[in-house]
Amino acid sequence: MTLEMHRRHLVRYICALLCVIVVASLLFNRERSQQTSAPLHLAGQDGSHGKELLLVQAVFRHGARTPLANIYFPDTKWSHCGPNEGVKLALHDENGGKSSPPPPIIDTDSPLLPGGCRQGELTKNGYVMAKDLGQWLRTRFIGELGFLSPDFKAEEVSLRTTCIARTGATLQGVLTGLWPDAAAFDAPPIPVNASREAYEIEYGKNQTCPLLGPKLALLQAKVADRDAKDPYAIAYAAKVAKRLHLTTAALSWVRLHDVLAAMIAEGLPLPDGADEKLAKEVADQAIAREGAIIAPIPEQKFLPKEECQQVIRMSIGPLLQRLIDNMRQAGHAQATSKQGGRGLLLAKQDGQGEEEARQRYRGLDDVDEVQQQQQEQQQQQQQQQ
């Protein structure tokens, strides 16, 4: 696969992530007569009921937000944000349990933007996105499948967010749409595990991990150095800057995409010289640079293959491993007639990567191994009968 094909693949994957929802469901073949609980059986194409839903895992990014910096188009007014009505959250340190002090929200005093919003703040539209997602989850997994209870029950779900305000607010919106009665004035707060990591991409410890952080910094420097020496990149950036009437010496594709995407999400008019086609081109350039850092490939010649894989395993790897471990636990609990949690919702700060990177993470092979083990167990049970 060429570098350009990798980049196009990355664009498609990021677009999927920005749709806010990725749901991974684990299905195991079971016989109803062997279950002591009442699992949800799903009909096959032939009308048979040979599968049951044991676990649903939802991983979603934050909703629409304001720009993270006020570098470009600084006169734009950002005013559609502020407190949102909904469920109350009780954050707990995910490493210390409910008895430990909650992680502080670290960006409550981020710089103000013209119009009154803060940089990186979830907008009203972003909160509506989150509620819409929660309502879809309610329709699907409560109304259609009866998988979750109509009212919130802590034993049915596990919740996690980061210590960034917009991710907590997004989770608040999702839970409000999923269980609207939990947003009543006298309803108790919903317990949520929270990470203390200041800047978490995918799931990795990007600042505190002694191996991952330096490699990400090195990759970022190499990307910047490449752009500074590439005549085509220099000329293209100058062309876009001239079209948008920007006077900055060096164009940051990531920052420019950040503000244009925020404008589009809020329905604000694009700046003079910009249109949807240009916004797409800017997004492609930004994603290519972010992807080179978060999901490096050997063809970039920034890192050898082994180190590229190491970066991927340390960033998205822990998230994938957690999803796989949860699947294993759900299957084991059902096999031993133990009723466990059936839903997991993770609100993430940022999510950049690519399908190629996920496939290169060796833990993905474990999913097939688990399914094979389940099939072998079923065959043994049938033989015993």
Side-chain angles (χ1 to χ4, degrees), residues 90-310:
L91 300 185
H92 304 287
D93 187 342
E94 65 176 349
N95 297 317
K98 295 183 179 181
S99 60
S100 62
I105 303 300
I106 64 175
D107 61 336
T108 54
D109 59 347
S110 58
L112 287 170
L113 294 167
C117 294
R118 294 190 177 275
Q119 293 180 8
E121 184 175 357
L122 190 75
T123 64
K124 292 296 184 181
N125 283 341
Y127 191 73
V128 170
M129 291 178 183
K131 287 185 64 177
D132 288 346
L133 172 58
Q135 290 169 358
W136 180 88
L137 291 171
R138 181 176 180 85
T139 298
R140 179 60 174 164
F141 295 105
I142 296 178
E144 296 177 1
L145 299 178
F147 185 69
L148 295 171
S149 300
D151 299 321
F152 173 76
K153 293 183 178 180
E155 64 271 17
E156 286 190 349
V157 293
S158 176
L159 307 169
R160 182 188 187 273
T161 185
T162 65
C163 55
I164 302 297
R166 59 182 172 272
T167 57
T170 299
L171 181 59
Q172 177 193 21
V174 172
L175 293 176
T176 300
L178 182 54
W179 287 293
D181 290 344
F185 177 78
D186 57 348
I190 293 178
V192 176
N193 293 320
S195 167
R196 286 187 175 272
E197 189 72 13
Y199 187 57
E200 182 178 281
I201 299 178
E202 298 293 3
Y203 200 74
K205 307 299 183 183
N206 304 304
Q207 290 190 337
T208 59
C209 176
L211 292 178
L212 180 59
K215 278 190 167 50
L216 293 179
L218 174 63
L219 287 165
Q220 188 171 12
K222 285 182 175 292
V223 170
D225 182 67
R226 180 194 62 185
D227 285 350
K229 296 177 179 179
D230 184 354
Y232 172 79
I234 295 173
Y236 185 56
K239 178 181 177 181
V240 172
K242 181 179 179 180
R243 177 173 170 177
L244 296 178
H245 312 290
L246 300 176
T247 58
T248 52
L251 186 69
S252 170
W253 294 107
V254 173
R255 293 302 187 195
L256 181 58
H257 166 58
D258 185 57
V259 66
L260 291 178
M263 287 179 171
I264 293 173
E266 289 303 299
L268 298 176
L270 291 174
D272 185 30
D275 54 23
E276 291 188 2
K277 180 180 178 181
L278 180 64
K280 176 62 168 58
E281 293 177 2
V282 172
D284 290 346
Q285 294 294 324
I287 291 170
R289 284 153 179 80
E290 289 285 275
I293 299 170
I294 304 305
I297 55 177
E299 288 83 350
Q300 298 163 345
K301 302 186 184 304
F302 292 158
L303 293 175
K305 179 180 179 180
E306 294 75 14
E307 294 188 36
C308 288
Q309 292 176 337
Q310 186 183 44

Side-chain angles (χ1 to χ4, degrees), residues 27-35 41 48-52 331 335 369-385:
L27 300 178
F28 282 129
N29 287 319
R30 297 281 188 216
E31 291 190 46
R32 175 172 295 185
S33 60
Q34 306 225 331
Q35 305 305 325
H41 289 267
S48 62
H49 291 72
K51 296 182 180 297
E52 65 190 53
E369 294 177 6
V370 172
Q371 293 176 339
Q372 182 178 357
Q373 291 173 4
Q374 295 296 330
Q375 293 174 358
E376 292 175 353
Q377 291 178 3
Q378 182 185 13
Q379 292 174 357
Q380 293 175 359
Q381 292 171 354
Q382 292 174 347
Q383 292 174 357
Q384 292 174 359
Q385 292 178 349

